[in-house]
Amino acid sequence: MTYTAHVDTFARDNLPPVEQMPETVLDLPELRYPARMNCATELLDRMVAAGHGDRPVIHAMIAGKKYFCTYRQLQVRANQIARVLREDLKLVPGSRVLLRGPNNPMMAACWFGAMKAGCITVATMPLLRAKELKQIVDKAQCTAALCDVRLDEEMKLAAAQCPSLARVLYFNDGRPGSLEARLERKPPEFENVDTAAEDVALIAFTSGTTGQPKGCMHYHRDVVAMCDLFPRSCLKPAAGDVFCGTPPIAFTFGLGGMLCFPMRVGASTVLIERLTPELLLQTIQDFRATICFTAPTFFRQMAPLAKNYDLASLKKCVSAGEALPDPTRQLFKSATGIEIIDGLGSTEMIHIFISHTPERVRRGATGYAIPGYTATVLDEEGRPCPPGVVGRLAVKGATGCKYLADDRQAAYVQNGWNVTGDAYSMDADGYFFYQARTDDMIISAGYNIAGPEVEAALLGHEAVAECGVVGAPDEERGMIVKAYVVLKPGRRGDGAMAKALQDHVKSSIAPYKYPRAIDFVASLPRTETGKLQRFKLRELAAK
């Protein structure tokens, strides 16, 4: 690429070396984008120009009352925020802007304002502490932050330790000096920066990991491509749809499902700051939502509650973030009649690349490589595995991993393939069957055992609400399978229950896979996005 709108070239200067870049395949007609493209123009301004200006784009609950804003109102707010970034904070195209906030209209407006200004967003989970924020700010060299005022405590602690972070403005705050106070003085128009399609638009930091965070850089083209692939081939949304769900906008699963996907077709979304299974069901009922995005844990918890709510509007559900156990799929289908659309994506790839339509679901399978991607299973030498053989999942297509100045790029991208860290098998029809994360495989007495398979078997028992399975050190076997189990209310976690669960697993899958140790716990450690933190269970098991 020769043209860039970025005056601050930090992101481009810290892309992986050419030999470590993933192979990009843009062979579908819908992926033939112009060389210059700003994703805010595509997702917001073009929708207003196409006649959607007065249609709702964001619904919310504010002070206990229903609220919505239109595409035109969001456009005006984003234009004003772009002016603040450029005129007041003196940011230039390519500057990194830290975003802090839960899912709400101002968080969405800030994201679009930064895109319009040609800046690079670095959105962060609301629950991150100052230490974690400092790591991200330092890694991305953020020069400004827009933060929900309710998250100011950790933001102030982090800002005091970050030399690069020159300015912090707070929103959802009516006081003088707040972002809103500055917006009132700005005109409603703004000419979007004419970014290249391959200018970096965002740096997304991976969730649920240990050690140093990994920043995943994605172009403006990548943002639009994620809207033109999974939604078009599997979800098939329309302008009349109302999206809702739990993933934060700061997480690329949420950026797509809660914001960009609906806007690509002129639909609307419900942004609720914190949801429980009950509140998500209430949201579907109150806003007549038609499409729901959440993690497997929520679908399992929602299933027994579904009968208490009017879910007649709900048509499609998408599960991602971690593997969807088949018992959870069947439980939710029995309760609602809806076949969950499972999806495998990653922050590195920006969104889902393996999935299926409701009509093409296959029991136990995540799905197939969606149009725009090619996937395979590789052995340790990098050769394709035969059908049914477990190996390393590798994928290439319209998007790919571009770590920010990180030696781990060489492990993720190999010979142009994105090697995701998932252990999968593929059948003769191209369906992919999840086994585990490659670092979650349990090797016990010479047997390879996938923790998620044991979890799925346990979840098939009527007493189990949630579970997590990891390997625990064992002198005789090297490792044993250990289960951490949350029981349903009224069930006793005693020796008799442990034996009943062990016998159930032995009758469900190969007997050698049964958990030789079971701990009954009140809850499981999860990330803010709902992922089970197996590394914390492994730490417990090691003790």
Side-chain angles (χ1 to χ4, degrees):
M1 189 188 79
T2 54
Y3 170 81
T4 176
H6 285 179
V7 176
D8 182 335
T9 61
F10 169 85
R12 180 153 299 279
D13 295 342
N14 284 284
L15 282 167
V18 172
E19 64 273 15
Q20 292 182 11
M21 290 289 275
E23 182 181 338
T24 302
V25 184
L26 301 169
D27 55 359
L28 297 179
E30 55 266 34
L31 298 176
R32 292 171 188 155
Y33 303 120
R36 297 191 188 188
M37 180 170 67
N38 186 309
C39 63
T41 303
E42 299 300 315
L43 297 174
L44 180 52
D45 297 350
R46 289 200 192 285
M47 287 297 111
V48 174
H52 295 285
D54 295 328
R55 290 174 56 86
V57 61
I58 296 174
H59 307 269
M61 293 293 291
I62 296 180
K65 295 181 179 179
K66 283 186 181 180
Y67 159 93
F68 76 87
C69 76
T70 65
Y71 275 85
R72 184 172 286 106
Q73 288 170 329
L74 179 61
Q75 181 189 44
V76 168
R77 209 44 140 181
N79 285 344
Q80 292 170 322
I81 292 169
R83 284 185 174 275
V84 169
L85 295 175
R86 295 297 303 281
E87 297 167 4
D88 295 14
L89 302 190
K90 307 301 181 186
L91 300 186
V92 299
S95 298
R96 279 76 58 214
V97 179
L98 189 82
L99 298 183
R100 296 238 341 112
N103 286 5
N104 59 45
M106 273 300 289
M107 180 69 172
C110 287
W111 191 88
F112 276 105
M115 291 298 115
K116 284 171 164 285
C119 296
I120 297 171
T121 60
V122 183
T124 56
M125 303 294 183
L127 292 183
L128 293 188
R129 301 300 186 192
K131 178 183 176 182
E132 298 157 311
L133 290 173
K134 180 182 182 332
Q135 286 182 314
I136 290 171
V137 169
D138 288 347
K139 179 86 173 180
Q141 287 294 289
C142 298
T143 53
L146 303 179
C147 178
D148 191 300
V149 70
R150 293 164 293 175
L151 302 176
D152 66 337
E153 184 177 352
E154 298 296 328
M155 186 73 255
K156 288 174 180 175
L157 289 172
Q161 306 171 54
C162 298
S164 70
L165 195 61
R167 297 294 299 274
V168 179
L169 290 181
Y170 293 96
F171 58 86
N172 289 326
D173 177 14
R175 291 174 294 182
S178 68
L179 178 58
E180 283 89 346
R182 292 173 180 270
L183 298 182
E184 297 310 314
R185 302 193 294 268
K186 299 298 181 184
E189 301 86 13
F190 183 81
E191 184 176 346
N192 294 352
V193 171
D194 188 22
T195 47
E198 292 188 359
D199 276 335
V200 174
L202 62 99
I203 303 173
F205 281 83
T206 53
S207 68
T209 57
T210 58
Q212 288 297 312
K214 293 177 283 190
C216 307
M217 295 191 279
H218 294 294
Y219 302 145
H220 282 265
R221 183 191 68 204
D222 297 333
V223 175
V224 180
M226 76 171 176
C227 301
D228 290 341
L229 293 174
F230 167 72
R232 183 189 293 257
S233 60
C234 298
L235 195 58
K236 301 175 183 176
D241 278 312
V242 180
F243 288 60
C244 73
T246 59
I249 293 171
F251 183 35
T252 54
F253 179 38
L255 177 65
M258 294 294 93
L259 194 61
C260 297
F261 291 177
M263 293 180 64
R264 187 61 166 162
V265 295
S268 63
T269 185
V270 186
L271 297 183
I272 303 294
E273 294 189 352
R274 290 194 67 82
L275 286 167
T276 62
E278 294 85 353
L279 285 175
L280 181 51
L281 289 164
Q282 189 71 48
T283 297
I284 295 168
Q285 174 178 291
D286 291 350
F287 290 89
R288 312 308 299 156
T290 60
I291 297 175
C292 176
F293 281 69
T294 192
T297 309
F298 258 64
F299 284 119
R300 186 168 183 84
Q301 294 173 347
M302 288 161 65
L305 306 171
K307 62 182 181 294
N308 302 324
Y309 298 86
D310 177 5
L311 305 181
S313 64
L314 188 63
K315 305 302 180 199
K316 297 168 187 172
C317 292
V318 178
S319 173
E322 62 180 348
L324 174 67
D326 192 64
T328 298
R329 177 193 289 281
Q330 303 309 326
L331 189 68
F332 191 80
K333 186 177 180 180
S334 296
T336 65
I338 295 175
E339 187 78 72
I340 298 173
I341 300 171
D342 195 7
L344 173 67
S346 68
T347 307
E348 286 85 352
M349 301 294 290
I350 201 168
H351 220 277
I352 291 170
F353 48 83
I354 289 178
S355 188
H356 59 86
T357 62
E359 298 77 23
R360 293 184 60 190
V361 67
R362 183 165 292 189
R363 290 290 293 269
T366 304
Y368 43 83
I370 65 172
Y373 292 98
T374 301
T376 189
V377 175
L378 302 176
D379 65 17
E380 288 304 318
E381 282 71 46
R383 298 171 303 207
C385 294
V389 174
V390 177
R392 301 174 300 145
L393 180 69
V395 61
K396 64 175 67 169
T399 62
C401 177
K402 301 178 285 288
Y403 283 142
L404 169 67
D406 202 309
D407 292 341
R408 291 169 286 189
Q409 178 76 14
Y412 201 97
V413 176
Q414 300 177 23
N415 299 317
W417 291 96
N418 298 272
V419 182
T420 66
D422 298 293
Y424 263 86
S425 65
M426 182 178 71
D427 69 12
D429 297 325
Y431 278 80
F432 289 84
F433 293 78
Y434 181 69
Q435 307 299 311
R437 292 289 294 172
T438 50
D439 55 4
D440 283 335
M441 291 295 288
I442 302 164
I443 302 175
S444 181
Y447 289 104
N448 286 341
I449 302 168
E453 183 185 15
V454 184
E455 291 168 6
L458 285 167
L459 288 170
H461 193 283
E462 61 182 5
V464 176
E466 291 184 79
C467 63
V469 170
V470 295
D474 180 76
E475 285 188 13
E476 181 182 348
R477 294 174 173 271
M479 300 184 88
I480 60 169
V481 177
K482 181 165 187 176
Y484 293 86
V485 175
V486 178
L487 294 173
K488 292 179 179 177
R491 303 285 187 159
R492 289 185 60 187
D494 53 19
M497 177 61 74
K499 185 176 187 306
L501 295 181
Q502 288 170 329
D503 291 343
H504 174 76
V505 172
K506 290 178 185 178
S507 67
S508 303
I509 56 178
Y512 69 84
K513 299 177 181 179
Y514 84 95
R516 293 174 181 269
I518 296 179
D519 278 7
F520 296 102
V521 295
S523 62
L524 296 175
R526 292 190 178 275
T527 69
E528 194 172 347
T529 60
K531 287 183 183 179
L532 177 63
Q533 293 176 308
R534 287 188 180 84
F535 73 89
K536 290 189 176 180
L537 296 183
R538 285 196 295 268
E539 290 171 358
L540 277 177
K543 296 176 182 177

